[in-house]
Amino acid sequence: MSGSKKLMKQYIKATLNILHRFIELVARFIFKLTYGTTGQKMPPIKDLILLESVTSVAYKIRTRKVSSVQVLNSFIERIKEINPLLNCVVANRFEEALKEAQAADELIRSGTISENDLALNKPFLGVPFTTKDCIAVKGMIHTSGLYCRQKIIAAEDADVIMRLRNVGAIPLALTNVSELCMWWESANVLHGRTCNPYDTNRIVGGSSGGEGCIQAAVGSTFGIGSDIGGSIRMPAFFNGIFGHKPSEGIISQKGQYPTPVSQIQQRMLGIGPMCRRAKDILPIFKVIVDKSAVDKLRLDDKTEITNIKIYYQDCDLNCTMVSHINPDIRHLFTKINTHFCKAHKIVPQKVAISRFRNSVGMWMAGMTPDDGPRFGEQLTNLNGSINVSLELLKCLFRVSKHTFIAIVTTILDRFSPKPGDSKHMYMVKETKILQRELSELMGDDGVLILPTHPTSAPYHNEPIIKPLNFIYTGIVNVLEFPATHCPLGLDSHGLPIGVQVVANNYNDRLCFAVAEELERAFGGWVPPTVDV
């Protein structure tokens, strides 16, 4: 590229960023006037069992300190209490779940299986959990937020659900998602939008937003989400919980809809746990991971925090039209560095990865199908394609069965670089170079700590003004690395913030170890309201 062209490109980028920043500020002022300061208060948490960790609940059930039926009733009552305000649950199976809880209690009382054997073979016996409405649960709706799929009922469990059932866990409800799981606010025409338990005027993220919400509001012991651009980690960030996007190819995607339409998308997509306690991630992960991947994951290896090398980048990714990192979030890195220095004599090393500037282009290249259906076709459940002009007109009069952002995404998808185009090939090449660069940096004993998102939860609909902010998580997907979001308290507005811990492929255990360390140091999940 000649000097004059490079200079012009830099000028255009700077101009776009200044314009975007101005629009952001004006929009934030308007949203603040529209919504006011804070939304409605969530009902306080009154039942102590709701605050227990997953492993604690499981232990108390199998040792008969509490019954599975009691636990289920507590969470059912909690869902009934919070859902009218938060709209996180879109379908439930309360009656069936209670019958399964009774069967679990009877098995425990019978004594036919020893307590040790239960802990080993059915570690989650009688424990209720939830999952997002794109992961199949037999006999329940399986819509992925699509209006045209409202009558589709799952004929069988997704593999991850089946694996959890096999160890005694009980599916309790399905949670809300964005339309076709492709936007970072969980709202759709079929089920409406979900509200943040810390401030109902704010978003919960997407696409596993309903799941992030119900975990933060203690309506479930744990949840299962999926992540192709941050769909586990962004809701975990906005709702102040832990969420893990796994290494590529280690957890079955069977029963997840929409299915990836290319091999690259399949490697970008990950199904993983969402929960309030860091120590619960590993036992859930061990259940849902493919048995063929167990050896290379070395999940039972003892991981000493002092043996982990810490790298971090606390500055912006330098992408065009992506928000700057909020000062409250940037300050987290100072706190993290201070902790590791004082507690473990570890000096985290600051890095500045220049290739992050192409993150948006890399993710878009990864999402471009070689020969599969386009986004507009997927919106019809692969029954033709939507008429964009007609849907925009219907959207104007609020009669469209699709969200505005889904329609816009269809338009943008048509103009995305096609496989084989010079720009697409360049981004694929850049992805491989960055993947190799970070892999060499982290090695087998290092993690990279990054912002999960540049700001705390925005107001409803505000993501339309800053659609590319998802890229802080999306870049990790296209690089195919595992990453865990770790909550680190609340910002100056009382909203959750945190960071994501990234490791080399198959080094998920390092993410878990750092997550547990950060939870010990800074407290982890902060309950929205407690009254016990």
Side-chain angles (χ1 to χ4, degrees), residues 364-365 368-369 374-376 388 392 407-419 421 423-424:
M364 294 295 289
T368 304
R374 309 297 297 194
F375 190 74
V388 171
L392 279 174
I407 301 169
V408 171
T409 302
T410 302
I411 297 171
L412 296 177
D413 182 53
R414 293 177 179 178
F415 294 98
S416 62
K418 303 296 186 292
D421 288 358
K423 186 174 181 180
H424 181 272

Side-chain angles (χ1 to χ4, degrees), residues 292-349:
S292 60
V294 169
D295 289 342
K296 58 186 172 185
L297 290 168
R298 293 177 287 164
L299 297 176
D300 292 322
D301 284 9
K302 187 173 177 56
T303 305
E304 296 288 351
I305 199 72
T306 51
N307 293 333
I308 299 177
K309 295 175 183 177
I310 310 290
Y311 303 93
Y312 72 96
Q313 178 164 322
D314 62 352
C315 58
D316 302 336
L317 297 185
N318 198 26
C319 299
T320 305
M321 297 177 69
V322 174
S323 299
H324 295 302
I325 298 172
N326 181 279
D328 286 337
I329 296 172
R330 191 185 293 269
H331 182 61
L332 294 177
F333 289 88
T334 302
K335 294 167 64 177
I336 292 169
N337 292 345
T338 301
H339 167 72
F340 279 113
C341 286
K342 288 186 175 181
H344 301 290
K345 302 293 189 294
I346 298 174
V347 180
Q349 182 179 331

Side-chain angles (χ1 to χ4, degrees), residues 235-249:
F237 173 86
F238 292 134
N239 295 279
I241 63 165
F242 291 89
H244 182 68
K245 178 261 168 194
S247 294
E248 64 92 11

Side-chain angles (χ1 to χ4, degrees), residues 388-437:
V388 171
S389 300
L390 179 60
E391 291 302 331
L392 279 174
L393 182 63
K394 289 162 71 175
C395 195
L396 186 65
F397 292 97
R398 301 196 174 192
V399 293
S400 176
K401 302 304 182 185
H402 300 286
T403 57
F404 173 73
I405 196 64
I407 301 169
V408 171
T409 302
T410 302
I411 297 171
L412 296 177
D413 182 53
R414 293 177 179 178
F415 294 98
S416 62
K418 303 296 186 292
D421 288 358
S422 59
K423 186 174 181 180
H424 181 272
M425 293 174 67
Y426 172 75
M427 287 303 172
V428 170
K429 180 182 177 182
E430 284 291 288
T431 300
K432 291 178 180 177
I433 294 172
L434 179 57
Q435 188 180 49
R436 184 169 59 249
E437 179 183 343

Side-chain angles (χ1 to χ4, degrees), residues 44-72:
I45 302 162
K46 297 179 180 180
D47 189 340
L48 283 173
I49 196 67
L50 300 174
L51 297 172
E52 299 272 2
S53 68
V54 179
T55 48
S56 175
V57 170
Y59 172 78
K60 288 185 174 182
I61 289 174
R62 67 174 170 266
T63 56
R64 300 176 64 177
K65 290 179 172 59
V66 65
S67 71
S68 176
V69 169
Q70 286 176 288
V71 171
L72 260 77

Side-chain angles (χ1 to χ4, degrees), residues 233-241 329 452-453 455-457 485 496-498:
R233 288 160 291 147
M234 281 190 291
F237 173 86
F238 292 134
N239 295 279
I241 63 165
I329 296 172
T452 307
H453 202 78
T455 71
S456 56
H485 170 73
I497 51 176

